[in-house]
Amino acid sequence: MKHRRYAAHYLRLPDSHFLRQHVVEVENGCVVRMFPLNEEIEDVEWLPGLIALETSNEDGVLIPYYYYPFDFTLMQPVVGTQRRQLP
């Protein structure tokens, strides 16, 4: 199966650190790779908001969730923020 690539303004790691403009590659709902978005890359879906990586309780893999809209001044969700798992 081909990996899907997503990029966002910020990526939040499980330890709550933030990385600016990063790409996550996802396969079967799990992160298989992440790297900085330094240039335009083919097949990357840009998401205006935040991608949060959360550790799965079952096997410790990283699961990506997309949050939008998101307040980048306070670095927190706002009223109406939706959360969805990335496929």
Side-chain angles (χ1 to χ4, degrees), residues 42-57:
E42 206 174 307
D43 297 327
V44 173
E45 182 178 345
W46 176 259
L47 301 173
L50 171 87
I51 297 173
L53 303 182
E54 299 178 16
T55 306
S56 153
N57 289 337

Side-chain angles (χ1 to χ4, degrees), residues 70-87:
F70 192 83
D71 184 334
F72 293 112
T73 304
L74 300 174
M75 295 308 279
Q76 64 185 19
V78 296
V79 174
T81 295
Q82 305 254 334
R83 174 185 185 252
R84 70 174 170 92
Q85 186 175 347
L86 295 174

Side-chain angles (χ1 to χ4, degrees), residues 17-33:
H17 282 90
F18 290 90
L19 300 175
R20 194 161 195 262
Q21 295 186 342
H22 268 63
V23 175
V24 292
E25 285 186 356
V26 179
E27 185 176 315
N28 298 324
C30 300
V31 175
V32 294
R33 184 175 166 216

Side-chain angles (χ1 to χ4, degrees), residues 8-21:
H9 290 98
Y10 283 93
L11 178 66
R12 188 185 76 210
L13 302 175
D15 65 3
S16 296
H17 282 90
F18 290 90
L19 300 175
R20 194 161 195 262
Q21 295 186 342

